[in-house]
Amino acid sequence: MKVIWRIIFLLVIVLVLFYIIDDRVKENKPLESPVKHGTAIPVPGNGEEMPMNQAARPESGISLFVGKSLDELIDEIGKPDRIEPSDYGYDWWIYNGDPQLMAGVMDGKVNQVYTTELSSNVEPFEIGQDVKDIYRFTIVESEVGVHIGESIYTFTLNSEDVKNRLLIEYENVFAQLYIDEVDGELEAIRFIDPFTLVLHQPYDMSYMGEIVSAERPSSTKQMEVDRAMERQISELTNLYRKNHGVNEVLNDYGLSEVARKHSKDMALENYFSHESPVTGNLADRLKEEEIEHRKARENIAFNYVDAIEAVHGWLNSSDHREVLLEKDVTHLGTGAYGKYYTQVLVRLAEEEKRQQ
């Protein structure tokens, strides 16, 4: 009998050790944008004779910034904390105080604004609003047309878009509603002008007339854009964590190097996976950088329009959401290379020692 109990005891220890080791480093399936960018479908003709039905523009709130000049933006909310380039020829003006928002600026005018701040005036919506209320009081279409000059662009929302990434049309501005499917609430919102919406092509698109596209950034500019995307992913991660009552994480240079190298490796070696033919898996990459950890998690994404879309994609994918909102992590590293994004969240060994 004693021998049997000893065997059971040893089996329990082995299972516990297996669980701990198995839980230490976690990778999930890669997340690719559901929209194949650059694959807009041309349709014969143009939209010259096609009238567009537009709801009246909101009378207050941050949507009113869209179309305003830089001077008007500065007069109302001041100068930004920083200015960063984008892949699309405009700059991001980043405000981290009050209000907390991102404003896109092109040719001296605001072309879009984005926020996930609970207290922001995003009329006619509210951050945290129940999605059922949105459907009750908002006309939601699965096909939305954009008329620019003699060209018309038709966005088709797929079943996932209709659930978590609505597109609502108003006079001279569109609202992209980023919904948290799990909580059933409005997580964030982007108000965007028609031209920039078409430039982004964030949904499946067909068009009559002329296609709209951005110039490819130089290699130097692309590097600046990549660093900007990394900062934005880090900040958005903490904003989402804060909104969900989870501790914020600290940026770590070493982890960012790990994430950055993996994004670059995926792009140059033409693969999309946590497992690299060159550097191995996440555990191998952390070991190579001599980063001691008690827990490590990794998210990767590909072909999303920008940091906003990538982080929202992670939020609404169950495995990626678990990583994004993991409570038992302390530090974060982000890496971007073109349209490849990597996010590494860990609980550092030294942090655990400090808390003991």
Side-chain angles (χ1 to χ4, degrees):
M1 182 64 73
K2 289 183 178 180
V3 174
I4 294 175
W5 279 110
R6 285 176 182 172
I7 293 173
I8 293 173
F9 180 72
L10 288 173
L11 285 173
V12 170
I13 291 175
V14 170
L15 288 172
V16 169
L17 288 174
F18 177 80
Y19 173 80
I20 293 172
I21 293 170
D22 184 62
D23 187 57
R24 186 170 179 175
V25 178
K26 180 178 180 181
E27 299 167 340
N28 47 40
K29 292 181 180 179
L31 187 68
E32 184 172 355
S33 168
V35 178
K36 306 299 182 184
H37 300 286
T39 59
I41 301 172
V43 178
N46 59 48
E48 189 174 5
E49 303 299 325
M50 299 180 67
M52 308 295 289
N53 296 319
Q54 298 178 325
R57 190 165 181 168
E59 296 182 356
S60 66
I62 65 171
S63 70
L64 298 183
F65 286 131
V66 178
K68 287 190 173 182
S69 68
L70 284 184
D71 289 340
E72 290 175 296
L73 180 67
I74 293 172
D75 286 344
E76 292 196 39
I77 61 175
K79 293 183 178 180
D81 293 284
R82 67 179 192 272
I83 299 175
E84 297 178 332
S86 76
D87 265 328
Y88 302 94
Y90 57 79
D91 288 330
W92 280 115
W93 282 36
I94 311 294
Y95 292 86
N96 287 324
D98 184 17
Q100 192 166 54
L101 58 80
M102 297 169 62
V105 175
M106 177 180 273
D107 298 330
K109 287 189 174 183
V110 178
N111 63 15
Q112 62 189 304
V113 288
Y114 166 90
T115 188
T116 184
E117 186 180 31
L118 292 170
S119 61
S120 290
N121 182 351
V122 295
E123 186 183 326
F125 308 100
E126 294 180 8
I127 302 297
Q129 183 177 0
D130 191 314
V131 67
K132 294 177 183 177
D133 289 338
I134 293 174
Y135 279 106
R136 189 176 298 120
F137 299 111
T138 307
I139 297 176
V140 176
E141 303 282 359
S142 59
E143 285 197 350
V144 179
V146 182
H147 206 157
I148 302 176
E150 295 184 355
S151 299
I152 189 167
Y153 310 84
T154 301
F155 290 109
T156 301
L157 280 63
N158 60 37
S159 58
E160 290 301 308
D161 294 330
V162 172
K163 287 191 291 185
N164 64 50
R165 213 163 51 104
L166 298 177
L167 180 62
I168 310 299
E169 181 183 7
Y170 296 99
E171 187 177 356
N172 297 323
V173 70
F174 290 80
Q176 287 183 272
L177 308 186
Y178 296 103
I179 294 166
D180 180 344
E181 276 189 50
V182 174
D183 292 344
E185 297 177 348
L186 180 62
E187 185 76 25
I189 192 167
R190 178 182 345 217
F191 292 102
I192 187 168
D193 70 19
F195 177 83
T196 310
L197 180 64
V198 173
L199 192 65
H200 283 180
Q201 294 184 36
Y203 309 91
D204 291 323
M205 189 182 88
S206 61
Y207 66 96
M208 292 189 291
E210 299 295 325
I211 190 65
V212 173
S213 60
E215 287 188 22
R216 186 181 180 86
S218 66
S219 57
T220 302
K221 176 65 73 172
Q222 185 63 60
M223 188 178 298
E224 294 177 8
V225 171
D226 291 343
R227 298 296 83 79
M229 296 279 277
E230 292 169 0
R231 285 188 290 271
Q232 291 166 23
I233 288 174
S234 294
E235 289 178 352
L236 289 170
T237 295
N238 271 327
L239 287 171
Y240 274 37
R241 289 174 67 86
K242 180 181 177 182
N243 284 355
H244 287 268
V246 183
N247 61 293
E248 294 184 34
V249 286
L250 300 174
N251 286 315
D252 183 90
Y253 178 79
L255 290 175
S256 290
E257 280 293 292
V258 171
R260 190 174 297 146
K261 287 178 181 178
H262 188 57
S263 289
K264 182 177 181 180
D265 187 49
M266 286 190 291
L268 298 184
E269 297 295 329
N270 193 30
Y271 72 94
F272 183 45
S273 171
H274 292 282
E275 187 80 24
S276 165
V278 179
T279 62
N281 59 26
L282 175 58
D284 296 326
R285 293 190 286 275
L286 292 171
K287 184 177 180 180
E288 177 68 23
E289 293 293 329
E290 299 182 346
I291 297 175
E292 294 186 15
H293 59 280
R294 291 290 175 263
K295 179 177 286 189
R297 303 285 186 259
E298 185 176 68
N299 278 334
I300 59 176
F302 171 64
N303 208 27
Y304 281 88
V305 168
D306 54 19
I308 294 169
E309 295 276 347
V311 175
H312 181 70
W314 285 331
L315 181 73
N316 278 309
S317 169
S318 58
D319 289 341
H320 299 85
R321 178 192 185 91
E322 184 179 333
V323 172
L324 185 71
L325 303 179
E326 168 69 66
K327 295 179 180 179
D328 196 26
V329 291
T330 58
H331 291 74
L332 166 71
T334 57
Y337 194 91
K339 294 298 183 184
Y340 290 87
Y341 312 110
T342 302
Q343 175 186 63
V344 179
L345 294 101
V346 307
R347 182 175 184 82
L348 293 180
E350 59 186 47
E351 184 69 19
E352 191 161 287
K353 291 176 183 176
R354 269 199 295 269
Q355 294 182 8
Q356 290 177 347

